Amino acid sequence: MPPCRQPKSLFDLACSEISIYVAKTIREADSEEKLSNLYKFFQSMPRLVIETLYYWVVRSGFLFIKIETDVDDQVLLDDHCDFISRMLGIILQPNMRNVEQDFTIDLRN
């Protein structure tokens, strides 16, 4: 009998769902008002919650970036720089103290 997979914790599920929603909202935002409201929403959150969600939102945001293996890195940055900067502009808040995440992500897989 194959080993049972451990169920995801409620914490993981909540962070995952929130981060996917936030990344999708940033990507599909058609007005500055939506981005401004999202920024204010994160500004009203407690510092520890924002610091926890930072990693999840950035990781979910990178999942929306589609990359072909033969594309140069500069083209990749040019195509997705606005999305990445909007995402970081919303999730990085002035009251954050610790953001120690090591993102080693190979986007070409």
Side-chain angles (χ1 to χ4, degrees), residues 11-100:
F11 172 81
D12 287 344
L13 291 173
C15 288
S16 179
E17 289 296 319
I18 291 170
S19 65
I20 289 170
Y21 173 78
V22 169
K24 187 183 253 186
T25 301
I26 293 169
R27 185 172 147 244
E28 296 173 353
D30 53 359
S31 69
E32 286 297 319
E33 182 181 356
K34 287 183 181 179
L35 295 175
S36 175
N37 289 340
L38 198 57
Y39 180 82
K40 290 175 187 173
F41 172 70
F42 275 99
Q43 208 170 22
S44 68
M45 285 184 168
R47 179 183 56 84
L48 292 174
V49 174
I50 298 170
E51 289 174 357
T52 301
L53 285 176
Y54 165 78
Y55 170 78
W56 290 87
V57 171
V58 172
R59 193 173 84 178
S60 295
F62 282 133
L63 292 175
F64 286 108
I65 298 175
K66 303 291 183 216
I67 299 173
E68 298 173 21
T69 55
D70 59 343
V71 175
D72 187 52
D73 290 342
Q74 186 62 43
V75 173
L76 170 75
L77 289 175
D78 291 343
D79 290 347
H80 301 289
C81 187
D82 290 338
F83 170 67
I84 294 170
S85 66
R86 281 186 296 181
M87 181 175 52
L88 291 175
I90 288 173
I91 195 66
L92 291 175
Q93 295 292 321
N95 64 340
M96 292 175 71
R97 292 185 191 159
N98 297 320
V99 180
E100 296 182 22

